[in-house]
Amino acid sequence: MITQTKNTTQTAGPIQYFLLTENGIKGETASASFKLTVYQEGLIRVQVSREQSFAPNPYSVILNPQVTNFEFEETDEFLYLITKTVSVKIRRSNFSLTFLDKTGTVLSEDDPNFGISWQGTEVSSYKKLQQWEKFIGLGEKTGGLNRWGKAYTNWNTDHFAYGKNSDPLYISIPFYIGLHHERCYGMFFDNTHKTVFNFGASNNKYSYFSAEDGDMDYYFFHEKNVSDIITSYTSLTGKMEMPPMWALGFQQCRYSYYPDRDVLRLAETFRDKDIPADVIYLDIHYMENYKVFTFDGKNFPNPAALIKTLKDKGFRIVVILDPGIKVEAGYAPYLEGKAKDLYLKYPDGSDYEGHVWPGWCTFPDFTKPETRKWWAEKMAFYTDLGVDGFWTDMNEPACWGQHTPNLVEFDYEGQKATHRKGRNVYGMQMARSTQQGAKDLRDSLRPFVLTRSGFAGIQRTAAVWTGDNVANNDHMLLGIRLVNSLGLSGVSFAGYDIGGFEGNTPPPLYARWISIAAFAPLFRAHSMINSTGSEPWSFGEEVEEISRNYIKLRYKLLPLFYSAFYKSHLTGLPVSKSLAIDFPFDDNIYEKSYENQFLCCDSLLIIPVASFKEVTKGYLPEGSWYYFYTDKLYTGNQEVYVDCPLSYLPVFVKGGAILTLQDSIQHTGHLESGSLYIHVYKGSGITRFSHYEDAGDGMDFQDGAYFKREIVLNSDSNEVTVATSEGTLDSRYANLTLYFHGFEQNMANVDGKNISLEKQDVTYLKKISDFDPLPSDKHPFHTCKQVSFIHIKHSKEPVIIQLV
Ligand code: MIG
């Protein structure tokens, strides 16, 4: 094999020989080895390397090739690998690939001349831009929903107060979805070096992806729709574990709350003010001189007692963990790691040191199994005190100067790699080790780890927040796109700092931000040292009322969220869904004015708006849509103008939706009345919802300890079926009430008996009377008037309710 290192372009060249393997085909070209592996009918891996062997990638992929039938054909010009859903056409004269669907339509096509090429060690795959092609995903990336015309770099970076278009940020997920001609495909480039994705930036021919070094190693996905591609991608890279219920509640953070009495007062204020919350974070000031595995003796003399008191009030404590370990003679964790040889190193074997909060620090090499084990065990320091969750910050890894030398070496599961290859997976491995510790040390309670940095597959180990955002409207809307893009890229459990981390938050901005975030998977407020706090009462009475309203709404919606998280855990589909998932070929959804809209839990359409707007234009995609607060019905495929005073975030419910709500509670450990409210919205045809409950923590659900039932709405025959429940648990709700939105009938036939429906006004938010800026005739208090409802017996048995 000829390895050319001069600064000119080298292509793979003509195929010299090939042979069929159990799962595909492999061979050599003039300058490289290649291998195509069929993983599933719609999932093909492509590897091309100039090295003697292909480098194993130990981090992202957890799936082995599945036994799949495929056919092979050859002509003088091409080799063909054909599965039931996709054919790969391989050009012999110069190795290049075309992926076609069953109708023979091109999904993705390499440039015939440059297909896979090298410039020095940098390897690229050049794909022809398809007509009207759109690109979505790529994880935590700024910019628009459609990434066409833009290029991005994957290189995990601590970017304090990043800009609206800054790149790269903290997390790298080299996976995107391409859309054209009513078809979609996915592309995952499994290379941990610095990579670049160009979606037609600065050229009119190609989209391409490149890595500084290493193999061309990508997975091509083709399925009928975007959802199935995400499900397939998360079969390959893993799915989110079921989080504990408490992590879905409201989380309050600040850099930092101390001393201990301030933390207590914070908890008490939530309860006194009747604002639900579940989590309080301890940021870096809990530590002694920022040293991990310590508590500051002066500010936190008795952390165990503090945590116990908080727990009695229904609060969980999450502590921050920074990777940097202070180099200090008397500091036991440092000495232990040193003795066990667990730190990142220079090639001469000396420890790499960088300057972070504690001073000069070493960095545990989380790409080394022994280090992960050690760290996971050290976490007993926290779990013994009753800490429930862990927040892995600074794990890009960050250090002052932000330029870790490439000379630094990583173990990389024994392969040995320089910083060029190790950096992008460091954060993910820190999160992995932290999750392991939380699992091992907490008697099979569910771990909660929140991470800033990560790589493809991070969804298996941690929730993600979008780092140091800024207190302004653009950033608020950007955060939504970041979370939606993470959702397109396998990361379901994500959120942003409500209020903005950097800068002082104007009160209206906080109100809007928290209203939107009530529909985000991770619901967490945070702000920086020396800026306004981000507690719901820090912005005056009006904002406090709005915040309480939306936080309470979130707690009412928890049954819906919990079911959505369970679905996400099974399917990999996000809880906060970009409209590109369900409506990928509706061009309107990519418009600047609409690209921030998203579906929460599949059926709530959220139209995010800047804080200063009082009326907004929104886009309702195909279907029928009910304005959430009044039940006013709209048909889809149209733009609508909606009032959006600060107290009302525009939200629509999809016709055919089945929503589950409970009464508002103070925290997730607390269930007051035990009623489940099922709201069904007339649409068309048959729609289904899978209601899911379990203990809210622990692993027993894996052995059947859950309560799950299918609810089916037939909007044509006006019938709701609540199916027999599955699982060994009883429902936590003693009573069941069904609400019918958009139905005209007054009677229901239940088990052969005709019963009159009752009627009731349904109000999701409390009126903010004194502050409502609009005159009451223009903007009457939002209530769904006289919605018919029926109480039904709550048992495991099926019920059919036929409206007559
Ligand atoms: O150098 O721990 O993104 O959320 O509050 C800053 C202090 C370190 C950065 C995190 C932020 C956190 C802060 N941290």
Side-chain angles (χ1 to χ4, degrees), residues 553-568:
L553 179 59
R554 165 70 167 227
Y555 278 78
K556 289 181 198 165
L557 287 168
L558 277 179
L560 183 71
F561 270 96
Y562 202 67
S563 298
F565 268 82
Y566 184 67
K567 179 179 170 187
S568 182

Side-chain angles (χ1 to χ4, degrees), residues 158 170 255 283-284 320 322 357 391 393-394 400 452 465 467-468 497 501 524 526-527:
D158 171 12
Y170 311 88
Y255 168 19
D283 204 330
I284 50 176
I320 198 166
D322 284 3
W357 289 112
W391 177 23
D393 187 21
M394 305 290 275
W400 308 155
R452 192 168 74 174
W465 100 104
D468 297 342
D497 289 350
F501 180 69
R524 192 184 86 131
H526 183 35
S527 70

Side-chain angles (χ1 to χ4, degrees), residues 470-575:
V470 182
N472 63 50
N473 273 289
D474 277 349
H475 241 281
M476 176 178 74
L477 300 174
L478 169 62
I480 297 162
R481 290 197 300 284
L482 292 175
V483 166
N484 291 346
S485 182
L486 282 161
L488 287 163
S489 318
V491 181
S492 191
F493 201 178
Y496 29 75
D497 289 350
I498 295 165
F501 180 69
E502 196 272 336
N504 288 322
T505 315
L509 180 66
Y510 184 87
R512 191 67 97 200
W513 212 321
I514 199 164
S515 317
I516 296 171
F519 300 95
L522 178 81
F523 189 25
R524 192 184 86 131
H526 183 35
S527 70
M528 194 169 128
I529 194 165
N530 299 329
S531 67
T532 359
S534 65
E535 303 79 24
W537 52 83
S538 304
F539 305 91
E541 241 180 289
E542 178 185 4
V543 175
E544 184 179 323
E545 278 201 43
I546 294 171
S547 304
R548 183 185 295 103
N549 248 349
Y550 276 91
I551 295 176
K552 284 197 167 182
L553 179 59
R554 165 70 167 227
Y555 278 78
K556 289 181 198 165
L557 287 168
L558 277 179
L560 183 71
F561 270 96
Y562 202 67
S563 298
F565 268 82
Y566 184 67
K567 179 179 170 187
S568 182
H569 155 71
L570 297 179
T571 64
L573 293 170
V575 173

Side-chain angles (χ1 to χ4, degrees), residues 75 93 99 118 256 271 322 330 385 428 572 629 673 687 732 748 773:
T75 64
S93 61
F99 296 87
W118 289 264
S256 312
R271 298 298 178 242
D322 284 3
L385 298 170
M428 176 195 199
Y629 308 106
S673 92
T687 42
R732 67 201 300 170

Side-chain angles (χ1 to χ4, degrees), residues 279-399:
V279 180
I280 292 175
Y281 281 71
L282 297 182
D283 204 330
I284 50 176
H285 290 94
Y286 79 80
M287 294 178 268
E288 178 197 309
N289 297 324
Y290 308 118
K291 285 184 292 188
V292 67
F293 309 119
T294 69
F295 260 94
D296 178 274
K298 197 164 132 274
N299 287 321
F300 293 91
N302 192 346
L306 171 70
I307 292 168
K308 165 87 175 49
T309 310
L310 291 168
K311 232 173 234 184
D312 292 344
K313 297 180 189 299
F315 282 97
R316 308 283 179 151
I317 283 290
V318 175
V319 295
I320 198 166
L321 301 178
D322 284 3
I325 306 262
K326 186 176 172 65
V327 178
E328 190 179 84
Y331 176 41
Y334 167 70
L335 297 173
E336 269 173 50
K338 176 113 188 123
K340 293 177 187 247
D341 197 18
L342 302 177
Y343 301 132
L344 294 180
K345 290 181 179 319
Y346 288 110
D348 64 3
S350 61
D351 291 338
Y352 160 65
E353 293 178 11
H355 205 269
V356 216
W357 289 112
W360 288 101
C361 286
T362 53
F363 294 84
D365 183 358
F366 289 104
T367 69
K368 187 172 180 171
E370 295 79 20
T371 308
R372 289 196 298 268
K373 185 164 173 285
W374 170 74
W375 177 271
E377 287 167 4
K378 298 251 31 118
M379 286 168 57
F381 171 77
Y382 296 106
T383 52
D384 287 351
L385 298 170
V387 170
D388 279 305
F390 299 91
W391 177 23
T392 57
D393 187 21
M394 305 290 275
N395 51 344
E396 291 71 30
C399 70

Side-chain angles (χ1 to χ4, degrees), residues 367-470:
T367 69
K368 187 172 180 171
E370 295 79 20
T371 308
R372 289 196 298 268
K373 185 164 173 285
W374 170 74
W375 177 271
E377 287 167 4
K378 298 251 31 118
M379 286 168 57
F381 171 77
Y382 296 106
T383 52
D384 287 351
L385 298 170
V387 170
D388 279 305
F390 299 91
W391 177 23
T392 57
D393 187 21
M394 305 290 275
N395 51 344
E396 291 71 30
C399 70
W400 308 155
Q402 306 288 7
H403 276 273
T404 308
N406 280 338
L407 193 64
V408 171
E409 289 189 339
F410 291 62
D411 183 65
Y412 212 92
E413 311 309 304
Q415 275 181 51
K416 307 292 178 212
T418 68
H419 179 247
R420 295 169 75 215
K421 188 176 181 182
R423 180 178 185 84
N424 279 341
V425 291
Y426 185 84
M428 176 195 199
Q429 296 313 300
M430 179 183 179
R432 172 186 179 185
S433 162
T434 306
Q435 182 198 45
Q436 193 60 50
K439 275 187 188 172
D440 294 346
L441 296 163
R442 291 175 68 253
D443 295 330
S444 52
L445 290 173
R446 297 178 200 167
F448 173 70
V449 178
L450 180 65
T451 189
R452 192 168 74 174
S453 183
F455 190 73
I458 185 63
Q459 68 272 10
R460 301 196 299 268
T461 53
V464 160
W465 100 104
T466 61
D468 297 342
N469 62 358
V470 182

